[in-house]
């Protein structure tokens, strides 16, 4: 229970892992419909050849700023909501999961403008295969904010908010699969899983959660990039739903179902190994903590 609570609170942080060149490859494949899907190293080789050696690291500073702000907002909200809701009472995994989702929602609403600017700056100066993509000229983070507000309106800073809110569920899917696989391996017999077992099921859980939600991540990137025809409707929710549906249908028509998963290889390489190592670390920390607290290994295994 200790491990589940502490690690669930980390769920949101993994959404923006920054293994930077892999993230660059993923983003190019998501927003540039005409770029052919290839292996990650082939995409990165193309980018380096066409745009220079430092191109895969373009926009690193906005990403660092966004990550710092996002993590601060998430953890501050998580612990504040937990303190207010529990008022000294003992927590439960389900409570922590709900608080984690609430903190994730607040985080999305507060930090989406940063991620919109981040996406624009990462893609600025790219050699796109799609000739319809308009070039941008931002001199930095503040200039990007000013130009977006001036040319597209304040609301453009929250492009991609709806899919981002849905993606808050990603850690929940990940933990559901992880706990199910862990119970299956134990098969009713309380035992501590080996390091290799934890590593493997952690990787499997993250891979499935990432694959299931990846089309939403693709739509999120396209919306943040801002170069799409937005429908006009009195209802923001209906507009968001129709825009997502339109983008999904158009991508499938042009590239087939696999078009929704362009860049998935880079995303899996970026996140799965990290998640597997974090699950392994979390199990080891939980086990050591119970021992330090004087609890028997059997008590830990029951959790």
């Amino acid at each position: 229970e200790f491990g589940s609570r502490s690690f669930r609170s980390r769920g949101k942080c993994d959404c923006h892992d920054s293994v930077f060149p892999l993230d660059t490859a993923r983003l190019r494949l998501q927003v540039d419909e005409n770029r052919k899907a290839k292996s990650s190293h082939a995409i990165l080789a193309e980018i380096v050849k066409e745009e220079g050696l430092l191109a895969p690291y373009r926009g690193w500073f906005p990403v660092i700023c966004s990550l710092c702000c996002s993590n601060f907002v998430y953890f501050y909200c998580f612990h504040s909501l937990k303190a207010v809701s529990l008022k000294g009472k003992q927590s439960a995994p389900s409570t922590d999961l709900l608080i984690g989702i609430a903190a994730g929602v607040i985080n999305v609403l507060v930090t989406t403008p940063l991620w919109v600017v981040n996406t624009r700056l990462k893609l600025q100066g790219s050699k796109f295969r799609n000739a319809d993509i308009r070039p941008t000229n931002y001199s930095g983070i503040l200039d990007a904010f000013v130009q977006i507000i001036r040319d597209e309106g304040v609301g453009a800073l929250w492009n991609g908010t709806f899919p981002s809110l849905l993606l808050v569920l990603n850690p929940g899917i990940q933990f559901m699969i992880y706990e199910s696989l862990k119970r299956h391996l134990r098969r009713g017999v309380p035992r501590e899983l080996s390091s290799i077992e934890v590593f493997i099921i952690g990787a499997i859980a993250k891979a499935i959660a990432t694959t299931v939600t990846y089309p939403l991540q693709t739509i999120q990137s396209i919306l943040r990039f801002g170069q799409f025809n937005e429908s006009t409707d009195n209802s923001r929710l209906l507009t968001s739903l129709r825009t997502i549906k339109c983008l999904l249908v158009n991508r499938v028509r042009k590239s087939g179902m696999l078009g929704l998963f362009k860049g998935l290889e880079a995303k899996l390489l970026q996140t799965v190994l990290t998640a597997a190592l974090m699950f392994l670390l979390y199990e080891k920390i939980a086990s050591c903590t119970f021992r330090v607290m004087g609890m028997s290994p059997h008590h830990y295994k029951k959790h």
Side-chain angles (χ1 to χ4, degrees):
E1 190 172 320
F2 162 81
S4 296
R5 288 202 305 268
S6 63
F7 200 76
R8 276 191 180 100
S9 69
R10 297 292 304 272
K12 179 66 183 72
C13 299
D14 182 60
C15 292
H16 298 293
D17 284 335
S18 194
V19 183
F20 212 87
L22 289 173
D23 198 52
T24 298
R26 170 195 63 83
L27 195 55
R28 296 293 182 90
L29 286 168
Q30 286 180 328
V31 303
D32 191 353
E33 293 181 348
N34 294 344
R35 184 180 284 274
K36 293 182 179 179
K38 300 178 182 178
S39 63
S40 299
H41 73 271
I43 295 295
L44 289 172
E46 282 184 354
I47 293 172
V48 169
K49 182 179 179 180
E50 295 173 1
E51 303 170 32
L53 193 60
L54 297 179
Y57 295 90
R58 185 183 292 124
W60 67 270
F61 183 70
V63 169
I64 296 300
C65 293
S66 300
L67 281 171
C68 291
C69 292
S70 182
N71 287 341
F72 172 79
V73 170
Y74 179 81
F75 284 115
Y76 180 83
C77 291
F78 179 85
H79 291 295
S80 297
L81 289 171
K82 191 171 181 179
V84 170
S85 62
L86 295 178
K87 296 179 180 178
K89 299 177 184 177
Q90 187 158 358
S91 182
S94 58
T95 304
D96 279 339
L97 182 58
L98 291 174
I99 293 173
I101 291 174
V105 169
I106 295 171
N107 185 32
V108 166
L109 296 175
V110 171
T111 64
T112 288
L114 282 173
W115 290 108
V116 169
V117 169
N118 165 7
T119 301
R120 305 283 185 96
L121 290 173
K122 282 192 71 174
L123 292 168
Q124 183 167 269
S126 302
K127 303 292 184 182
F128 292 110
R129 302 291 189 269
N130 188 347
D132 294 331
I133 293 178
R134 304 181 301 275
T136 56
N137 185 26
Y138 305 127
S139 61
I141 297 175
L142 292 178
D143 184 53
F145 273 109
V146 171
Q147 286 198 45
I148 292 171
I149 293 172
R150 184 190 65 203
D151 298 336
E152 304 171 45
V154 176
L157 292 173
W158 277 269
N159 284 345
T161 297
F162 191 69
S164 297
L165 291 173
L166 296 178
L167 286 169
V168 170
L169 298 174
N170 183 291
I173 297 172
Q174 178 183 343
F175 264 95
M176 178 183 69
I177 296 169
Y178 177 78
E179 295 294 340
S180 297
L181 290 172
K182 190 161 70 171
R183 284 193 298 270
H184 178 73
L185 285 176
R186 287 174 173 173
R187 290 187 179 92
V189 180
R191 69 179 182 91
E192 189 172 353
L193 300 182
S194 67
S195 297
I196 188 65
E197 286 176 321
V198 171
F199 185 89
I200 290 172
I201 66 173
I204 292 172
K206 186 59 180 179
I208 295 174
T210 298
T211 303
V212 167
T213 59
Y214 191 76
L216 277 176
Q217 295 181 42
T218 297
I219 299 306
Q220 178 193 59
S221 296
I222 295 171
L223 291 173
R224 285 175 174 174
F225 190 37
Q227 304 207 19
F228 62 96
N229 294 321
E230 189 175 11
S231 61
T232 56
D233 195 289
N234 292 330
S235 169
R236 293 288 298 177
L237 178 59
L238 284 177
T239 298
S240 298
L241 289 172
R242 287 172 181 169
T243 301
I244 291 171
K245 178 185 175 182
C246 180
L247 290 172
L248 287 171
V249 170
N250 287 342
R251 180 59 68 97
V252 171
R253 283 176 180 170
K254 291 181 179 180
S255 309
M257 287 299 296
L258 292 180
L260 296 175
F261 296 91
K262 284 178 67 177
L264 177 60
E265 179 209 3
K267 185 64 177 179
L268 289 175
L269 288 173
Q270 178 193 356
T271 59
V272 169
L273 182 60
T274 303
L277 291 171
M278 289 178 73
F279 271 116
L280 178 59
L281 182 62
Y282 132 64
E283 293 285 357
K284 294 300 180 185
I285 291 174
S287 179
C288 291
T289 301
F290 276 110
R291 290 192 176 95
V292 168
M293 292 169 64
M295 298 180 183
S296 67
H298 177 70
H299 180 88
Y300 164 70
K301 290 168 190 173
K302 288 194 296 184
H303 289 73

